[in-house]
Amino acid sequence: MTKPIVWVHGDCLSPHNPALQKYPDVPAIWVWDDALIAEWQLSLKRITFIYECLLELPVEIRRGNVAQEIIAFAQEHDADLVVTTASPSPRFANICKEVESSLAMEVLEVEPFFDYDGYIDLKRFSRYWKVAEKYVWE
C-alpha cells in the first residue's frame, strides 16, 4: 500500500493544485528555496505574496535544500510516495531526480491557464500578464 505526501511548489501555488485535490488528507510540504530566492533576486514583496498564498494551503512550511527537506518530511510521515505537479523548470527536474533516488514520485499535470508556446519572462507577474492577457480575454 502506498503512503503519499504532497510537495507544493511555486509553479502551482493554488488551493486547486491537482496534487492537493487528489490527496486532500495527506501531509503536504512547501520548502523555501534560498538558492532560487537569491538567484532570482525575489523582492520582499514577492516573498510576502507567496507566504500569504501559503497561509491558505494545508502545508508545512520549511526552508533549506528542497530535495533534502522533501525526503526528510516523507520519512517523518513514513511516506513512500511524493506527489506534486508538473513544472517546466530545469530546477524542478533536478529536485525530482534527487528525490527519486529515495522515493517514488507521481507528477500530475496542471491544466494550463492559456495556450502559449513562446517565451515569457516569469520573474515578474506584470511581464507574464502582459503576454497572458491577450490570450485570456480572447
Side-chain angles (χ1 to χ4, degrees):
M1 187 168 163
T2 302
K3 189 171 180 190
I5 62 159
V6 170
W7 166 36
V8 174
H9 55 76
D11 286 339
C12 195
L13 195 57
S14 164
H16 303 290
N17 178 315
L20 292 172
Q21 296 289 308
K22 186 172 180 179
Y23 297 97
D25 299 320
V26 305
I29 184 172
W30 161 274
V31 182
W32 287 108
D33 185 341
D34 290 333
L36 179 70
I37 291 169
E39 179 184 330
W40 281 25
Q41 298 178 4
L42 295 182
S43 68
L44 182 56
K45 189 175 186 177
R46 179 71 179 159
I47 292 169
T48 301
F49 172 76
I50 292 169
Y51 179 70
E52 289 172 346
C53 291
L54 290 171
L55 292 177
E56 296 182 17
L57 300 177
V59 297
E60 181 173 315
I61 301 170
R62 295 195 178 183
R63 180 178 174 189
N65 177 290
V66 178
Q68 290 174 3
E69 290 297 327
I70 293 167
I71 292 166
F73 185 75
Q75 290 170 344
E76 291 163 19
H77 292 279
D78 296 318
D80 57 2
L81 175 66
V82 176
V83 182
T84 192
T85 53
S87 169
S89 166
R91 188 178 208 90
F92 173 82
N94 292 337
I95 293 167
C96 287
K97 189 175 183 179
E98 189 174 339
V99 170
E100 287 174 322
S101 69
S102 300
L103 298 159
M105 288 199 69
E106 180 180 356
V107 180
L108 304 174
E109 292 299 320
V110 179
E111 185 176 332
F113 187 57
F114 66 98
D115 291 323
Y116 184 76
D117 62 359
Y119 173 77
I120 300 177
D121 182 350
L122 299 177
K123 290 184 181 176
R124 300 267 187 256
F125 178 79
S126 60
R127 295 177 194 162
Y128 165 81
W129 187 247
K130 189 174 185 177
V131 174
E133 71 179 335
K134 298 172 190 170
Y135 294 87
V136 173
W137 304 120
E138 286 184 345

